[in-house]
Amino acid sequence: ALLVLQSGGGTVTGYGLAAAQLQRLKSRGVKLTVCVEQVAASGGYMMCCTADRIVASPFAVLGSIGVISEVPNAYDRLKREGIEFQTITAGKFKRTVTPTKKITKEDLAKSEQDIGEIFDLFKKFVASQRPMLDIEDVATGDTWFGEDALSKGLCDELATADDVLLDFVDKGYDVYEIAYEPTPEGPASLLAGLPGSSESTNNDGMFGWKSVLRSAVRSVVSEVQREVSSELSSSVREMNSVERRYMAVDDTASRVQVRD
């Protein structure tokens, strides 16, 4: 199987799951080749390292094996405005670093401990997938371009995905492209039920259109209710969520540019 990977990373939980899904392919005896055309950094490299063969284009960026956690804190500003957040928790470390509370040295120490533990898990996972790596040498949060990444052992060869595909064809393989299209949600899902579509089998004529119209009204009302509810607390909820506290993300692609 050939996977063309393009990712600068994201949440530890999300990319840990993606890497586990790739391992499922390998557990069934599927040889996995990952092609990195531009970026496989941090969480992206967590996925990439599961491959039996990693192919990177000459100027692809690989690495950024590290973890980052950042949360803006507005406690002092809110205090000046006369606004105080009351957070009720059960459990000593249920809330440590958040946007709305005064951060203590104990809070910071616990967050640093959590980051360190996640970093150790990240390093152990990469080392288990690519034992030829000097993990302490590459697990610094740094990134490397094609040739340097090759010399560090982060990839196995330099080529593009097109080169790999042409090589498969030359060797007589049948090459297929597989794409996943998730089922539409919300109002977009109504298109699947319009008369004449494959999903509309029992309703026809005016009755079918009335049914679609009623479904549309109900769907729009539900969407509005969900949007209003989520907007009221989305900013605080997102910044406090465990999933967003620990990010495995790299911004090299946006920082490194070639200009005339």
Side-chain angles (χ1 to χ4, degrees):
L2 170 65
L3 171 67
V4 179
L5 181 63
Q6 160 73 10
S7 176
T11 62
V12 173
T13 51
Y15 278 84
L17 175 60
Q21 296 287 29
L22 294 179
Q23 288 182 305
R24 288 182 61 227
L25 284 176
K26 293 179 59 179
S27 70
R28 302 300 294 179
V30 177
K31 293 296 183 181
L32 178 62
T33 297
V34 167
C35 288
V36 182
E37 297 282 73
Q38 297 184 53
V39 179
S42 205
Y45 193 77
M46 182 186 291
M47 293 179 62
C48 183
C49 72
T50 63
D52 298 290
R53 173 192 177 200
I54 300 176
V55 181
S57 65
F59 284 92
V61 177
L62 289 84
S64 190
I65 301 172
V67 184
I68 181 174
S69 175
E70 52 185 11
V71 179
N73 187 265
Y75 173 80
D76 289 335
R77 179 58 185 269
L78 292 172
K79 185 176 180 181
R80 289 197 298 270
E81 299 294 336
I83 301 173
E84 181 180 355
F85 272 74
Q86 295 290 345
T87 303
I88 310 301
T89 63
K92 184 178 180 180
F93 296 115
K94 183 61 178 178
R95 282 290 182 268
T96 52
V97 178
T98 75
T100 56
K101 65 170 286 188
K102 184 177 181 179
I103 307 301
T104 66
K105 291 183 178 179
E106 187 180 33
D107 292 332
L108 290 175
K110 181 63 170 73
S111 293
E112 290 173 359
Q113 177 186 337
D114 292 341
I115 288 293
E117 291 174 354
I118 294 171
F119 185 40
D120 287 339
L121 288 173
F122 194 175
K123 290 195 296 182
K124 289 177 182 178
F125 181 78
V126 174
S128 69
Q129 300 301 303
R130 291 187 70 80
M132 74 289 289
L133 278 176
D134 181 349
I135 193 63
E136 296 302 327
D137 182 45
V138 297
T140 61
D142 202 356
T143 56
W144 292 269
F145 286 97
E147 290 190 3
D148 292 333
L150 180 62
S151 66
K152 291 284 186 179
L154 293 167
C155 62
D156 300 304
E157 59 187 274
L158 299 182
T160 67
D162 292 333
D163 294 326
V164 176
L165 288 170
L166 289 173
D167 183 57
F168 284 162
V169 172
D170 290 341
K171 290 179 178 179
Y173 290 105
D174 294 324
V175 178
Y176 300 93
E177 181 178 2
I178 299 175
Y180 171 66
E181 295 183 3
T183 302
E185 298 181 358
S189 64
L190 295 173
L191 297 176
L194 289 175
S197 69
S198 58
E199 298 295 328
S200 179
T201 56
N202 297 323
N203 296 332
D204 53 17
M206 185 58 68
F207 178 77
W209 281 105
K210 288 182 178 180
S211 177
V212 170
L213 182 59
R214 285 195 296 269
S215 297
V217 172
R218 286 195 296 266
S219 180
V220 170
V221 171
S222 298
E223 285 290 322
V224 171
Q225 289 176 333
R226 284 195 292 268
E227 286 294 328
V228 171
S229 298
S230 64
E231 284 295 329
L232 293 175
S233 59
S234 62
S235 60
V236 174
R237 184 177 67 250
E238 288 182 6
M239 294 312 302
N240 284 347
S241 68
V242 173
E243 185 182 63
R244 291 184 62 83
R245 281 172 59 196
Y246 305 113
M247 302 291 288
V249 65
D250 184 80
D251 63 350
T252 302
S254 60
R255 292 187 290 106
V256 179
Q257 300 181 12
V258 178
R259 299 182 177 178
D260 295 332

